[in-house]
Structures are given as C-alpha cells and as structure tokens.
Amino acid sequence: MRNDWEAVIGLEVHAQLSTESKIFCGCSTRFGDEPNANTCPVCLGLPGALPVLNRRAVELAARAALALGLRINRRSIFARKNYFYPDLPKGYQISQYDQPFSEHGELEIMTAVRDAEGHAREWRPKKIRITRLHLEEDAGKNMHEGLPDTDRYSYVDLNRAGTPLIEIVTEPDFRSSWEAYDYVNHVRQTLRWIGASDADMEKGNLRCEANVSVRRKGEERFGTKVELKNLNSVRFMQRAIEYEIERQIGVLESGGSVVQETRLWDDRAGETRPMRSKEEAHDYRYFPEPDLPPLVVTDEFIARVRAEMPELPSARRQRFMDQYGLAFNDAAQLTTDRALADYFERAAQAANNARAAANWVRTELLRELEASKTEVESCPITPENLGALIRLIDQGRISGKQGKEVFAEMFATGKSAEEIVRQRGLEQVSDVAEIERLVEQAIAANPKQVEQYRAGKEGLLGFFVGQVMKASQGRANPKIVNELLRAKLNG
Amino acid sequence: MLITEADIEKLATLARLEITEEERRALTPQIASIIAYVEQLNELDTSEVEPAIGGLTPEGERTPTMRDDEVRPSLGQKVALEEAPDPALGYFRVPKVL
C-alpha cells in the first residue's frame, strides 16, 4: 500500500454451529444428503409451523462468544429479516437485530506483516473490537450450474435452510489485508478448538465478507466502503482485500470517487467485480419474531459454559512457551489444532524432553501425517510411544539417525520403539567391557597408526573410531568408543 | 403517518408486486386508512407495560423456549416436493436467478 494511504477494514464472519439438528426444527444438518431430504414444515416455511430453539445451538454460541471475548446479553430477541430469494422459503430469515445474543467484544490476535513470498516477519499483538455475535438460521442453497437448462432455471435445495449460524461482526479495526487474514484464522482456529464449528471454508460452513475503504493518512473520516463477497478461503479474502485497496487508491488518485457497492472476488482473474444488482432495494424491515419468546440466559448457564471451556489456543501457546521454553513459531504451530497440541503435550511428558518432542512432532510427525493424509487423532504412533523413542535416543541406546529409521517403521507398523529396536538388533552397545575389547583389538591390529598418533598425528583418532564402529557393525556407542580410545592411545 | 404514492410503489417493489398507476392511486388512501386505524393503539400509554415479544400460542400459553438437539424424522424429498409447482431432479426448480 502506498505510504500516504490507509485502509480501513471491517469483517463479518458466518460460522455454522456443530449441532446434529437444525436451529428451529429437528431436521438433520448432515452435509451431502439427497437434495431436500432433510426438510420439514418448519424449515420449508409451511403455514402454521412454529420454530422452537435448539438448546445446543445456544450453548455453542455462548462458548464462541466467551472464547472471542464478547459479553453475553442475559436477554436477547429474534427478529425477522425480510427479503425475497428462492433459497429463503419463508420470505424472511430469523436473525437477531437490535438485541443480539452478545456484544462488546475485545479480542487480542497475533498478526504479522508478510514479505513478498507471504512469510510472516515479526508477530505482534493487536486488539480487535468485536461489535456483536448473534444467532441466526442459514438459507438453503441455489444451484446455478451442473443441472439441465441452467440458462433458464435455478434449482433450490433446502437441506441447509435452518442450519444454525453465528454471525460475528467486527468494528472497522483492520488496517491491512494481513491483519484481516490473521483475524479470520484466529476465529477459525478458536471455533474448531472449542468444538463450536467445523469452520471449514471449503464446505461453506465458515464464510466471510469484508467492508473495505481507504483514506489519506491522518484523515479521521472514513472513505466510502465497498462490500466484498465470494471470499471462499482465507487466502482469497486476503487477496481480494489487497486488490480492492489498490483499486480504490487508484480511483481516488485519478480524481474519481469510490462507489458504494457490493463486489465479488474472481480469483482466476485476480480482481473484484461489481455484483450485478437488480434494484437492490435493501430494506429488510426487521421486526421482532412473533413466534419465538425472548432468549433468556441465566448466570448459572454462563458459569457452566465457562467452566466447560477448554484452555484456549492463545493461552496454550503462551504456556508452551513459558513451560517448555518453545519459540513463538513452534508453539504456534503446535497449537493450530487442539488434537495436535494434546499429542505434543503427552509426547513431551512421556519423553521427559519437551524440546525434542516438539521437534519430532513439528518435523517428522507432521510430515508423515501429511504424506499419508492421516489425522493426528488416528496417528499410528501413540504420543507415549513417541516419548519412549525419544527416551531411547536420550539414553544413548540408539543414535539419532537410527531413531529416524525406527520412527518410520513405527509409523508404518504401529509397533513400539522398543520392539523395533529389539527385533532389528539396533541397540547401541554401551557395555564398556565389550567396547574395550574392540578398542584393544583395533589398537593391536594397527601398530603403525598407533605410532603416528603418539608422535602427534591426533587426526588419526577418527581412523580408530571408524575401525571400532566397523567391528561393532555400527552399534557401539560412539561417545564411549571415543573416551576409551583416547584413554588407551594416550596411556 | 403520511402515506404517499411513492411509499406504495416501494412497498410493491419490496413485495415483488406489479401494480398499475390506477391501482397505486386507489391503494394509497386505502393503506393510509388502515394505518390510521392501527395507529389508534398509540393513544394508549404503554410506558409501564413490558412488550410482549413472541412465543405465545393462540390460547395465550407460552410456547416451549428450547428443545434438545435431537434429530427428528424429516418429510423426505418426495413429500417435500409434492406441493412444489415445478420440481425437477429432487430440487425446487425456479426461473433463473443470479
């Protein structure tokens, strides 16, 4: 971004809550079923059907609100947001408007500027104000392609209609596309961590929209904002915002003015385009939903949700740094996912060596999991077995190099380190008497080299080490070999 | 509350209704009189009354506030589409949008 300009960005994130049934009826929320199979009079909007709120959706929304630093209102009300679209069978969406579920959040995220390759430079904390987090129902899905005669028809699948969502709205607190990127990743990670949402953007159960404007540095007033949609991944969102900032600066610098509109990101073309709007009369005529009573939550309810909350990723990352002496990047990598963080911590305890456990998990383990498309939960090496492998290395019973071979076999077979070391006869010989015998053999067999060594050619020590290792088939503990050779040759 | 022809035009747009100029002229005073009728309620002092927001059955009983997260049988695709004017391939088919 050019130096004398500043971007002002606000974000709206929609996340699908991980419930079994819909927010106002008992239809399944399962993804991928036959179109319109999971529908009933309530989610089809048939006359006379009445919505009843799903308790679990409220619990998950409360968890999300607390984890993102919002205050939960003891009383909130549902409202109808009226508009016509084929994926909205009732002609209104049940949402919340002037008395939302939770408000006034403040969230600290870690953010970093990126270099040209997208690598983070220096991480620093930044506070983001969250305006509100409210409950609402999702709409169905319109299909515009892949079916017959889509030049004339659209097709509607209402399986998703009525799926519980939370909408999380921030204040315009982001000043760059990377801050927005780091925020959405933080929210995504947190929602997954606390089990509130799968937050999978590919499946559409996490969606975001960005409001972007620019202004000259020092200017207090906001510029005209543009709403960005069709941001199907966090990376797309970052690119779309970046493009949009430059576009707006270009328009303003050439004397034009920014038009308030909705633009769609086209990732293939790498640009945003105005959404074709048919007389977009945005007048939702919100009014209180007469079919639902106010949503009242008690102090006991909030206390219970708080008590059930796991240690959050940012707290855990800090603890990994404090307790195990890990660097920020390493601790951050190990806390991207709760199962991974649990795995590391169990391995670290079993190994009694947290740094080694961190290294093994971050490099070997993640590589193998990635290569075999395995989730950490179904990793063939238990954290206890990885810990035991690390102990074998730390005790000098096998070398680090052998450790990697054993690790590969553990991953392939699920066997323990001990078992593999025993079967393959890998264990290092650390028996001093045994090594001493080999050292004496090596000295006796090479009198010339002994003479040269004693005359000052100390580099020959490596030659003797090699002889002993060869005689032991690589199994002698190198440290003991070195010590004994030195003692004998010098003596 | 003053109701103009422009308000009627906007309402028609929001309701996706096509109305003729003649209908617009006829509807404007009719809707104005309906609103005036409802506005009589404003004469009552309700400042001490808690607003009744939703959740009452026609008999005045409170509706259940929450339900457990349990899946109940749905109608299924066939029944869901039975009353649809133009179903196709398991979907509701509509004139092209977008």
Side-chain angles (χ1 to χ4, degrees), chain A residues 39 58 99 102 164 185 205 227 246 264 280 284 307 364 373:
Chain A
T39 56
V58 178
Q99 292 180 53
S102 59
N185 277 332
N205 53 29
E227 191 181 3
E246 293 301 321
L264 302 179
E280 276 296 318
Y284 293 127
E364 306 295 319
K373 298 261 171 280

Side-chain angles (χ1 to χ4, degrees), chain A residues 58 63 135 158 164 221 257 282 300 348 366 405 414 433 444 470 478:
Chain A
V58 178
R63 240 192 240 180
L135 274 160
L158 296 176
R221 279 178 316 157
S257 53
H282 271 310
E300 293 74 48
L366 283 180
E405 289 164 23
K470 203 164 129 195

Side-chain angles (χ1 to χ4, degrees), chain A residues 20-22 25-27 35-37 39 53-56 84 150-156 279 283 290 292 294, chain B residues 10 13-16 53-55 66-69 71-72 74-77 80 89-94 96-97:
Chain A
E20 297 294 320
S21 66
K22 294 185 179 181
C25 63
C27 290
N36 297 302
T39 56
L53 183 59
N54 183 336
R55 180 177 288 113
R56 182 75 180 151
F84 284 120
T150 45
D151 54 327
R152 286 181 292 145
Y153 295 114
S154 293
Y155 294 78
V156 186
E279 34 82 45
D283 183 347
L292 287 164
Chain B
K10 189 182 173 196
T13 307
L14 289 169
R16 298 286 194 277
I53 294 169
M66 291 196 215
R67 42 171 270 272
D68 288 333
D69 182 26
V71 174
R72 308 290 302 264
S74 297
L75 292 180
Q77 189 189 70
L89 302 164
Y91 293 92
F92 294 91
R93 191 167 67 172
V94 297
K96 188 167 180 63
V97 289

Side-chain angles (χ1 to χ4, degrees), chain A residues 43-286:
Chain A
C43 57
L44 289 172
L46 301 186
L50 286 172
V52 183
L53 183 59
N54 183 336
R55 180 177 288 113
R56 182 75 180 151
V58 178
E59 287 167 358
L60 294 178
R63 240 192 240 180
L66 294 177
L68 297 173
L70 288 111
R71 288 217 297 270
I72 296 175
N73 290 326
R74 297 300 185 271
R75 183 177 185 276
S76 65
I77 65 173
F78 288 95
R80 291 188 180 180
K81 179 181 181 178
N82 299 281
Y83 64 95
F84 284 120
Y85 211 55
D87 61 10
L88 193 71
K90 296 191 294 295
Y92 58 85
Q93 177 195 28
I94 303 180
S95 180
Q96 295 192 297
Y97 187 54
D98 57 358
Q99 292 180 53
F101 182 69
S102 59
E103 293 173 279
H104 310 299
E106 192 176 69
L107 180 67
E108 186 176 282
I109 62 163
M110 294 302 284
T111 186
V113 273
R114 308 306 205 272
D115 60 22
E117 279 88 51
H119 296 305
R121 265 186 266 153
E122 207 179 314
W123 290 96
R124 61 183 173 82
K126 169 155 180 147
K127 286 207 161 73
I128 302 298
R129 290 170 300 156
I130 303 182
T131 319
R132 56 192 280 147
L133 178 154
H134 71 242
L135 274 160
E136 61 183 30
E137 60 176 341
D138 205 349
K141 202 168 158 51
N142 290 331
M143 318 282 287
H144 307 290
E145 50 195 38
L147 289 158
D149 305 316
T150 45
D151 54 327
R152 286 181 292 145
Y153 295 114
S154 293
Y155 294 78
V156 186
D157 174 6
L158 296 176
N159 281 348
R160 202 181 63 185
T163 297
L165 298 179
I166 44 174
E167 177 177 323
I168 310 161
V169 184
T170 73
E171 293 292 307
D173 283 353
F174 306 98
R175 293 291 170 268
S176 74
S177 61
W178 289 113
E179 286 181 3
Y181 177 88
D182 291 325
Y183 165 81
V184 175
N185 277 332
H186 182 114
V187 169
R188 197 173 155 261
Q189 176 196 22
T190 303
L191 294 179
R192 290 167 59 96
W193 189 283
I194 61 177
S197 172
D198 293 340
D200 184 340
M201 288 190 85
E202 275 177 29
K203 282 192 190 152
N205 53 29
L206 186 86
R207 284 166 257 160
C208 54
E209 291 163 25
N211 289 306
V212 180
S213 66
V214 297
R215 62 183 174 191
R216 298 239 179 227
K217 278 226 171 109
E219 177 73 61
E220 301 239 326
R221 279 178 316 157
F222 293 138
T224 305
K225 70 179 178 192
V226 165
E227 191 181 3
L228 298 182
K229 291 192 173 181
N230 197 34
L231 311 172
N232 296 329
S233 76
V234 192
R235 192 76 169 102
F236 282 9
M237 179 199 72
Q238 185 273 326
R239 285 197 209 124
I241 293 173
E242 197 63 38
Y243 174 88
E244 186 58 23
I245 291 169
E246 293 301 321
R247 188 191 71 83
Q248 291 184 17
I249 293 173
V251 167
L252 293 170
E253 284 194 335
S254 58
S257 53
V258 173
V259 180
Q260 179 159 359
E261 62 185 349
T262 299
R263 297 175 72 94
L264 302 179
W265 173 244
D266 178 342
D267 196 66
R268 218 172 297 165
E271 61 182 30
T272 62
R273 287 203 207 109
M275 187 167 89
R276 276 179 295 155
S277 60
K278 298 175 217 153
E279 34 82 45
E280 276 296 318
H282 271 310
D283 183 347
Y284 293 127
R285 293 152 294 147
Y286 282 99

